[in-house]
């Protein structure tokens, strides 16, 4: 069964990791996908992966921390595919690994710009398009670091906690307009983001492997499937929640 047949989905950060995998999963389930990212090469690869498989996708270069770019990204969905049904605010940067007192000022601002303001811009312009097109579903990427403190990730965690709160606001304010808003909170997922961190801080690999009560790390598909659930009518009565996809970490 195809769960998002004929839907139009915009996915930010879709040139890599969870975003790329989610773009492919949505295309396999019948959606036309707008692949948005700062990484043009990676974005083109995601589009090629989808079209070679018979799916429909287009790339739009987007720095999601820039409001004009965010607006153009949403306009691309409308001009290319006639509307917007699903928005996955997935793009984020990890920022430095440092205790709060040693966290670099510029890096903090950058993390807030991409991970929080980027989600805000996506929601703002995405909602505008969904209101014009009988509603839709917004999913944003949070993290276990947005639910509890994960030491040395204060900027990232603060932005992710705020993503959960923005999700509640969007859900309540647009509940009567057919727009649902939810978030997913992954634990540790095998992506380029984690590979970069392990390269810089090899001592963290063992810590990552032991984080989730379920063994090993999550595969990007396991997050993409949760996003598919939240983006499809399978979750038609679910709004305002942050769904943990973290092998039981938050149950402790
Ligand atoms: N990997 C994990 O363990 C993990 C855990 C919890 C939450 N998450 C969240 O999942 C999401 C995806 O993470 P990932 O692991 O796939 O990361 P990733 O680094 O593999 O991919 C992130 C993508 O976002 C893009 N991006 C970065 N800044 C951007 C900007 N300003 N505008 C547009 N695109 C930009 C990058 O180019 C990249 O393609 C993020 O929100 C991340 O915080 C990841």
């Amino acid at each position: 069964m195809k769960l998002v047949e004929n839907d139009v989905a915009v996915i930010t950060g879709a040139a890599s990791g969870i975003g790329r995998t989610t773009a492919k999963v949505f295309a396999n389930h019948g959606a036309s996908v707008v692949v948005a990212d700062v990484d043009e090469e990676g974005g083109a690869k995601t589009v090629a992966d989808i079209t070679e498989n018979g799916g429909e996708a287009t790339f739009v270069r987007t720095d999601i921390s820039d409001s004009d770019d965010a607006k153009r990204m949403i306009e691309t969905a409308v001009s290319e595919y006639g509307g917007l049904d699903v928005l996955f605010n997935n793009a984020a940067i990890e920022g430095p690994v440092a205790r709060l007192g040693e966290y670099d000022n510029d890096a903090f601002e950058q993390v807030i710009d991409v991970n929080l303001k980027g989600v805000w811009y996506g929601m703002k312009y995405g909602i505008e398009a969904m209101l014009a097109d009988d509603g839709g579903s917004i999913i944003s990427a949070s993290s276990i670091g947005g639910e509890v403190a994960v030491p040395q990730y204060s900027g990232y965690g603060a932005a992710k906690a705020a993503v959960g709160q923005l999700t509640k606001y969007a859900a309540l304010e647009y509940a009567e307009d057919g727009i649902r808003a939810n978030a997913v909170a992954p634990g540790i997922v095998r992506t380029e983001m984690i590979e970069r961190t392990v390269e810089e801080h090899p001592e963290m690999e063992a810590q990552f492997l032991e984080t989730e009560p379920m063994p090993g790390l999550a595969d990007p598909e396991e997050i993409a499937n949760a996003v598919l659930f939240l983006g499809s009518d399978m979750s038609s009565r679910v709004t305002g929640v942050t769904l943990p996809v973290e092998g039981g970490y938050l149950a402790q």
Side-chain angles (χ1 to χ4, degrees):
M1 186 170 75
K2 293 196 170 181
L3 292 179
V4 284
E5 184 104 65
N6 299 321
D7 278 355
V8 179
V10 169
I11 301 180
T12 70
S16 171
I18 294 167
R20 170 180 283 163
T21 302
T22 307
K24 292 190 202 175
V25 166
F26 269 71
N28 284 341
H29 277 268
S32 299
V33 182
V34 174
V35 170
D37 208 293
V38 277
D39 174 1
E40 297 184 21
E41 208 180 309
K45 163 104 174 63
T46 303
V47 169
D49 287 352
I50 289 173
T51 51
E52 279 163 18
N53 206 26
E56 180 59 47
T58 192
F59 174 71
V60 57
R61 195 209 172 268
T62 309
D63 176 355
I64 200 59
S65 67
D66 181 282
S67 67
D68 289 340
D69 272 19
K71 208 167 178 205
R72 195 169 45 245
M73 167 185 89
I74 299 295
E75 282 165 2
T76 302
V78 176
S79 62
E80 287 282 321
Y81 299 124
L84 177 65
D85 301 294
V86 179
L87 168 65
F88 182 26
N89 293 308
N90 164 75
I93 52 175
E94 60 273 31
V97 178
R99 286 201 299 169
L100 200 150
E102 290 109 44
Y103 206 102
D104 180 72
N105 291 4
D106 291 340
F108 185 84
E109 273 188 39
Q110 211 189 348
V111 165
I112 296 298
D113 277 353
V114 178
N115 300 10
L116 175 54
K117 266 169 69 180
V119 172
W120 154 260
Y121 288 141
M123 284 186 176
K124 180 170 175 155
Y125 300 118
I127 284 168
E128 200 178 303
M130 286 177 180
L131 285 175
D133 188 24
D134 60 76
S137 174
I138 299 172
I139 306 103
S140 302
S142 180
S143 162
I144 52 172
E147 300 294 308
V148 296
V150 175
Q152 308 207 83
Y153 280 96
S154 58
Y156 180 87
K160 293 298 189 184
V163 166
Q165 195 67 358
L166 276 184
T167 295
K168 290 183 189 171
Y169 273 90
L172 283 193
E173 291 179 1
Y174 294 94
E176 291 184 0
D177 299 297
I179 297 175
R180 297 185 295 110
N182 295 289
V184 286
I188 314 288
V189 190
R190 203 176 288 284
T191 68
E192 289 80 339
M193 183 179 274
I194 291 300
E195 279 168 18
R196 276 194 303 273
T197 306
V198 168
E199 213 166 278
E200 265 185 53
H201 306 273
E203 75 283 1
M204 291 184 76
E205 187 168 17
Q207 184 190 318
F208 282 153
L209 279 167
E210 284 173 9
T211 298
E212 300 192 2
M214 287 176 75
L217 307 185
D219 281 326
E221 285 78 8
E222 296 179 285
I223 315 304
N225 287 336
V227 177
L228 177 66
F229 165 70
L230 292 171
S232 76
D233 286 343
M234 296 285 282
S235 61
S236 54
R237 202 71 185 170
V238 181
T239 197
V241 307
T242 295
L243 175 64
V245 192
E246 34 55 295
Y249 178 81
L250 294 170
Q252 297 171 106

